[in-house]
Structure formats: structure tokens, C-alpha cells
Amino acid sequence: MTGSPVSRLRRVLSGIGRLITAVFVLALAAGLALAASWRPPASQGAIEPTQIDVGAAPLTLVCPPAPVLPTGDGGDLDYDDQFDTTGETALADLGVVLGRDGAEPEPATGGSIGTDGNAIPVVGSLRLLNTEDPEPLQLQAEPSGQETAFAAGASLSRTDTGDLRGLTAAPCTAPTSSAWLVGGQTELGSSARLTLTNPGETAATVTVQAWGSVGPVDPVTLALEPGGVSSVLLEAVTLEPRLGVHVSSEGGRFTASIQETVLDGLVSQGSDVITAAADPSTELHVGPIPVLADAGTAMLRLLNPGEERAEVSIDVLTEGASTLSGTDALVIEPGTVVDIALDGIDEGTAALRITSDQPVTGGALIVRQGGPSELDPDQSLAERAWLPATDPADHGLLALPADGALVDEVALALTNPGAEDQTVTVHTVDADGQRSAPVEIRIPASSTSGLGDLDVNGAVAVEVTGTQVLATATLSATTDQGTMVGVLPMTPDAHSDQSVTVHVGTN
């Protein structure tokens, strides 16, 4: 019998199922056999990252302009002609490019902002620029092989009488997109002129944010054309007994400085040029500075630009570290600027280490009292000099006025802010490009050493080599009405690793 149609259908479906199962089993077996025989391709190994040297760029430094009175000639203010507010000013703009290890340095130029400048001749291992231009000066030095040029500069002025009485000394600085300047005041009798330069070829939109004793001030924005120079009287922005300023830009880079001029009635209380300080940090260093035993002759100014209270401690670095008297529980309110007297420090040379739980920045002011003023014999003249906070460096350069120009004395000082003793090596360089024999100075940890025995007569530069050290040159000029001072910080070596790491993928 053939059976019913349903039975025949069941037999057909059963056969098809057995056939499919058999095919699947055969395919699975073949797959397992293939898997057993397959081997991965031999590894090609990881491709090591490649270091590509991108080369060093030319170094640009800009020296601040000479101090000027805020008069009608500058479009600022008008003075009554019956008052003699002017005094003869002597100027010196210095630029030093030093060949590394005694070699001849590569070409360099110097000139006004926005110009190509003039070639600076080479003498031995040195290129030396020495001019008397009152306008901002630009120094540009070509790299040596793969190393950035080793250079420094300074802008000096000396005025013995009048409203601008003082010896100003300011380092030349590299263009940046962010600069912090701490110093100056704008209350009655004082002026703070902010000068901005754009030495590049790209326009910059610059924002100026200031802080005072009670908080921030409304920011000011201005345009800075390529090769341009612009000045702003900060007393037209805010009246403050103490100032901190942050300048930032979009587009091109700039340099910034503040000329401070202070009067007490008709009597000069000094003038100086303030340059950029170290960026806000939880550890800050200022100095070394010369300290007198007299009260009121030295002061530390700190800016807390943040939104939180800053708890600050201050160590004095002389022969080891000691806490500054009266600063055990120092608090700086957010967005404010404070002044801390440095009374109680033994006379000599000292540096400061500031530790904070919030980023702060700042600078130090030293004051020297002079004789009675001719305009008001009951009122004494005074002189002032600011030194910005700086970052310690392993290698740096100080530019000095040659042959006693403008100054009568140069005093060098070094600070080792680290936790270990170290030996610092110093060379002087004269105007003929001759380097002196190395002088080695042993400096204990957290200590400061003056270099009174170092002969700097005829020197135009001092090269310093160590491990994270601070160095300054205090310049003094003696007049019939007292001593005038200026303090220059060391310019760190601008050279850094000029290579980038390239990772190459395999797919």
C-alpha cells in the first residue's frame, strides 16, 4: 500500500530534514578542519614612535619704551607751565646675543617695532646692541643650528630731577598671548601707563583685565595692529591704591609693560617700569632683592585672580628658609590685590618663596628715601623699583650697562630655592665678546648669596648656569639727593626641545 497522502508528506519532509542535517554536519567538520590548519600571519611588530626635529625659530625680544610724563604731548593730561615737571633723561637700550660655548652667534637685528631693524655686528662670541631710542625696541636673533638664540636685553633710563626722577631698569621680554603685571597704583598723584606692542605680522585683539584692593575692574578691549604700539592710562580706567593686571590676546602676540610714576603733592616718589610676572601658581618666587633694616623700604604685592580665598605662607630665603613674621595665617580674598610689608628681614639680600592653596602671582617693591625736595623742603624725595615674580631656571643671561653708563654700581645676587645644596657657575662677558674664567659659587638649599667679589667692571652680560636658580642685578646711581635703584631679573635661556613625536598607524 502506498499509504495516505499525509503519510507520504511526512516521509518526504523527514528525508529533507535528514539531508539538511547531513549537509550541516559536513560543513561544520570542514570548518573545524580549516580552523585547525589556519595560522595567523606573522606579526610585523609595533612601529616605534619617530622623533622629528622641527627646528628652532628666531628669538624676538621687545624692550619697553622710556618713561614719559602723562602730558598734553602724549594726548593724556595738561600741566600748568609754571611747574617744572621735566628733567633731563639719559637712556640706554641694551641687547646681548651670546654664542653658545664661546662660539660666534648667528645673525641678529635690532630696531623699532614694525621695522626690519639693522644688523648687529659680531665681536668675538657676542652681538651687542646699545642704543638710546625712547621707543620700544625689537631684538631678533636667528637660531644656531637646532638651538634657539641665547639672548637678553634691558631698557634703562635715568632722570635725576622732576616728576620722572628715578632709575628705571626693565628686561626685554618675548611676545606672548598672556601676561600678568603686578605693581603700580592709580590713586591721586599716581600714574600707571600700560604700553602694549605687537611686533608680529598678525593683528591682535587685546583684553585688559585689572584687579584692585576690593575686586576686579571692568575689562577693556582694544585692537593692536601688526607692528603697532598702544598706550592706556590705567587711572582713566580705575583709581586704585594697588594694581594687578592680566593682558590676553586673540590673534597676534604682544608684549606689555606698565610705567609707574608717583608724586606726593609736588614731590617725586619715584618712577619705574613694571614687566610681566610669572603666571599664577601655588608656588611663587620673588627675588633676590636688596633689603634695608629701615621699616617701609620693601613690600611684597600678591594678586589672587581666582574665585576662592587663597591661604598663603611666605618663606624668606637668606641663610636657609624662615617664615616671614606676621604671615602665619595670611588669607587673600578672591579677586583682590594685597600688599605685605617685608619689615623684620635682616639687612642684606633675600628672596621670597610664596606657597598658596590657590594660584597667585605678584612682585616686590623696594623704596629708597632721598633728600629734601627743592619744591617742598618739608617733603623728602623717594625712589622705587619693582621686581616681578620669576620662575627659577637652569640657564640664563643678564644684560648690563657697559662702562658704568647711567649707573654707578652693579650688585649681583643668586638664590637656590631648592631642597639641595648646589654649585652655580657664573661667567661675565665684556664688550669685546671675551668670556671670563668660570666662577663657581656654592649655595646652600633655600639660601641667597651676594656676588660682591665678582668683578663686573666692563661686563655687558653675565651668564648663569645652575639647577633651578634665581638671579638679579641691582643697579644703583648716586645723586646729591640720594640713591636711585633699579632691579633686573635674569632672562631664562629660551632654548627648549624642538622635536615632536610622530606615531605611525598600521591601518
Side-chain angles (χ1 to χ4, degrees):
M1 292 180 60
T2 59
S4 67
V6 173
S7 297
R8 290 196 298 272
L9 178 60
R10 286 175 177 171
R11 287 195 296 272
V12 171
L13 292 176
S14 176
I16 293 173
R18 287 193 296 271
L19 178 61
I20 292 174
T21 300
V23 171
F24 175 76
V25 170
L26 289 173
L28 178 61
L32 291 173
L34 179 62
S37 62
W38 181 83
R39 295 290 184 271
S43 173
Q44 297 179 356
I47 299 178
E48 293 294 329
T50 301
Q51 293 291 123
I52 297 179
D53 201 319
V54 297
L59 174 66
T60 298
L61 297 175
V62 176
C63 306
V68 295
L69 286 171
T71 65
D73 293 340
D76 302 321
L77 301 171
D78 288 315
Y79 280 89
D80 192 323
D81 291 337
Q82 67 177 309
F83 297 110
D84 180 16
T85 60
T86 61
E88 184 176 349
T89 298
L91 304 175
D93 286 320
L94 313 172
V96 174
V97 183
L98 189 62
R100 296 182 183 274
D101 300 320
E104 179 179 307
E106 296 298 318
T109 59
S112 300
I113 300 293
T115 69
D116 293 334
N118 299 314
I120 304 173
V122 63
V123 180
S125 63
L126 177 74
R127 292 186 187 272
L128 176 63
L129 176 67
N130 195 342
T131 73
E132 299 178 2
D133 192 341
E135 300 301 321
L137 179 73
Q138 176 177 318
L139 172 69
Q140 186 158 329
E142 296 298 320
S144 177
Q146 301 302 320
E147 293 184 299
T148 305
F150 185 38
S155 177
L156 309 179
S157 74
R158 174 176 173 171
T159 307
D160 290 358
T161 61
D163 288 359
L164 293 178
R165 179 184 181 273
L167 176 66
T168 70
C172 307
T173 58
T176 182
S177 59
S178 173
W180 297 83
L181 300 101
V182 182
Q185 55 190 323
T186 55
E187 58 187 357
L188 185 63
S190 303
S191 176
R193 178 192 294 271
L194 173 67
T195 298
L196 304 171
T197 75
N198 178 1
E201 299 179 352
T202 303
T205 300
V206 178
T207 300
V208 180
Q209 173 66 67
W211 291 265
S213 58
V214 296
V217 178
D218 290 339
V220 175
T221 301
L222 52 91
L224 198 57
E225 295 300 319
V229 179
S230 181
S231 294
V232 177
L233 285 180
L234 295 179
E235 55 265 38
V237 177
T238 183
L239 297 178
E240 293 288 346
R242 44 189 181 267
L243 275 177
V245 176
H246 180 227
V247 185
S248 58
S249 72
E250 295 181 0
R253 292 174 174 258
F254 64 89
T255 65
S257 62
I258 294 176
Q259 174 204 324
E260 180 191 36
T261 306
V262 181
L263 299 175
D264 185 353
L266 301 176
V267 180
S268 172
Q269 299 298 292
S271 63
D272 199 24
V273 175
I274 301 158
T275 53
D279 289 346
S281 174
T282 55
E283 183 170 291
L284 197 69
H285 296 91
V286 181
I289 58 172
V291 178
L292 299 181
D294 300 334
T297 57
M299 177 192 75
L300 173 67
R301 177 168 294 180
L302 294 176
L303 162 65
N304 173 12
E307 298 180 354
E308 302 289 337
R309 301 173 73 198
E311 296 183 3
V312 175
S313 62
I314 302 170
D315 289 333
V316 180
L317 309 183
T318 51
E319 296 178 355
S322 60
T323 301
L324 179 65
S325 176
T327 62
D328 295 336
L330 180 62
V331 173
I332 306 176
E333 295 298 327
T336 63
V337 183
V338 299
D339 288 342
I340 301 115
L342 299 179
D343 301 342
I345 300 177
D346 292 338
E347 184 163 331
T349 306
L352 304 169
R353 179 170 58 216
I354 300 98
T355 305
S356 172
D357 64 346
Q358 300 294 325
V360 297
T361 186
L365 172 68
I366 61 172
V367 176
R368 296 293 181 264
Q369 296 298 323
S373 166
E374 294 180 357
L375 293 175
D376 184 355
D378 294 331
Q379 180 68 39
S380 294
L381 296 162
E383 163 67 329
R384 60 206 299 110
W386 286 93
L387 179 69
T390 55
D391 293 322
D394 294 342
H395 190 211
L397 194 62
L398 287 153
L400 302 179
D403 301 324
L406 278 67
V407 305
D408 301 314
E409 183 180 353
V410 177
L412 301 176
L414 299 171
T415 296
N416 170 16
E420 302 290 337
D421 298 356
Q422 66 165 299
T423 298
V424 179
T425 303
V426 176
H427 291 88
T428 62
V429 184
D430 64 22
D432 293 326
Q434 299 299 312
R435 300 170 84 232
S436 70
V439 177
E440 295 186 343
I441 301 99
R442 187 70 176 170
I443 308 178
S446 298
S447 296
T448 297
S449 175
L451 303 182
D453 296 334
L454 183 67
D455 184 9
V456 294
N457 288 329
V460 297
V462 176
E463 180 181 5
V464 178
T465 305
T467 302
Q468 294 295 283
V469 296
L470 304 167
T472 59
T474 298
L475 314 179
S476 302
T478 302
T479 73
D480 293 338
Q481 294 177 313
T483 299
M484 302 187 300
V485 294
V487 186
L488 284 172
M490 177 177 70
T491 298
D493 187 350
H495 178 68
S496 60
D497 185 10
Q498 302 294 327
S499 63
V500 295
T501 302
V502 178
H503 295 270
V504 181
T506 59
N507 52 26

